[in-house]
Amino acid sequence: MTEPTLADVERALERAADLETEDAVSVLRTARQDVRDLANNPDIDEDRRTALERRLAQRIREVRERDAYDGGLGSAMNPAEDDAP
């Protein structure tokens, strides 16, 4: 199997946007490991690689927070009529 490229990692980052939370986090974690593995490759632009690694970490946090936020907020925003003031 060939070594992933930064372009491969960027495509995974974009693809994760269309996935459900669990699948998105899995794709993003794999992509984050791929970008970390590229740290030892002297042909890789280190600034681009570290920026991509930060974007992946941020996106993982966003996906997790989105799922937690959506889960708790739905019931707060749509109370049953019995609960309404």
Side-chain angles (χ1 to χ4, degrees), residues 3-76:
E3 185 174 82
T5 65
L6 291 179
D8 295 333
V9 173
E10 288 172 334
R11 281 191 294 276
L13 180 62
E14 292 172 13
R15 187 175 70 245
D18 298 328
L19 300 173
E20 294 295 323
T21 301
E22 191 173 313
D23 294 333
V25 170
S26 177
V27 166
L28 292 168
R29 282 183 176 160
T30 299
R32 183 174 58 184
Q33 186 57 51
D34 289 346
V35 83
R36 286 178 177 169
D37 291 346
L38 291 170
N40 297 324
N41 186 331
D43 297 327
I44 297 294
D45 178 355
E46 184 60 21
D47 292 335
R48 182 176 170 209
R49 191 200 68 77
T50 55
L52 189 53
E53 187 173 9
R54 282 192 304 269
R55 283 179 55 204
L56 286 162
Q58 166 105 20
R59 186 67 184 122
I60 290 169
R61 280 192 306 275
E62 288 172 356
V63 168
R64 286 183 176 159
E65 288 173 8
R66 175 194 70 198
D67 188 48
Y69 181 78
D70 288 348
L73 184 61
S75 60

Side-chain angles (χ1 to χ4, degrees), residues 78-85:
N78 299 309
E81 286 184 18
D82 296 336
D83 297 333

